[in-house]
Amino acid sequence: MTRVLVLNGPNLGRLGVREPEVYGHATLADLRSACEGWAAALGLEADVRQTDDESEIVAWLHEAVDTRSDVVVNPAAFTHYSYALRDAAAQVTDVGLRLVEVHISNPYAREAFRHLSVVGPVATGTVAGFGLDSYRLALSALAGA
């Protein structure tokens, strides 16, 4: 099976309790289970991770390059300002791997500061605004489904 890293940034460990009107009631464990199931159905293996630490998510993107793994990434708040994450994401796509940026909510329908993504310009594509289904759509894109 083709391995895909599914990386989640800060505060996504609080899914289910943080702003459920925006992010829904599903937990990170629910997201992990859903991604693993969707990936398996597509012939992929999802390695789902979450961190609040910028250096850790950067290291995971380096790991993706070194292990030749495509990436689904929800950078969360790092989306808007982390040039370190942007540069690591660019390394993924620069070597010919695919990186899909995902967001549970639609950043463009929210506060103005959320309208900028420093990751989007180096991503293969972006899926946003479909709740947890944003991850399913991203995995489908990587599987070519």
Side-chain angles (χ1 to χ4, degrees):
M1 268 192 195
T2 301
R3 179 172 169 252
V4 175
L5 293 180
V6 180
L7 308 178
N8 294 281
N11 297 310
L12 290 168
R14 304 287 299 160
L15 285 175
V17 296
R18 177 182 175 235
E19 297 182 78
E21 67 282 2
V22 174
Y23 300 106
H25 294 282
T27 65
L28 180 62
D30 296 332
L31 173 62
R32 178 174 287 110
S33 178
C35 284
E36 289 169 352
W38 292 325
L42 294 164
L44 303 171
E45 176 191 354
D47 183 350
V48 183
R49 305 174 186 182
Q50 188 277 326
T51 186
D52 295 327
D53 185 336
E54 185 178 24
S55 67
E56 188 166 32
I57 201 165
V58 166
W60 291 340
L61 289 167
H62 295 166
E63 177 187 336
V65 172
D66 295 343
T67 62
R68 306 292 303 162
S69 300
D70 288 328
V71 175
V72 172
V73 61
N74 185 336
F78 295 145
T79 301
H80 316 295
Y81 68 89
S82 177
Y83 292 101
L85 193 145
R86 178 256 179 240
D87 290 349
Q91 291 177 52
V92 173
T93 55
D94 284 349
V95 299
L97 296 166
R98 296 167 300 163
L99 181 140
V100 181
E101 176 187 21
V102 300
H103 297 283
I104 295 169
S105 67
N106 177 357
Y108 296 103
R110 300 186 62 198
E111 303 92 339
F113 77 88
R114 296 186 194 277
H115 298 180
L116 171 69
S117 171
V118 298
V119 177
V122 299
T124 306
T126 300
V127 181
F130 296 98
L132 296 191
D133 273 345
S134 293
Y135 292 84
R136 181 183 56 77
L137 294 167
L139 289 165
S140 293
L142 292 177

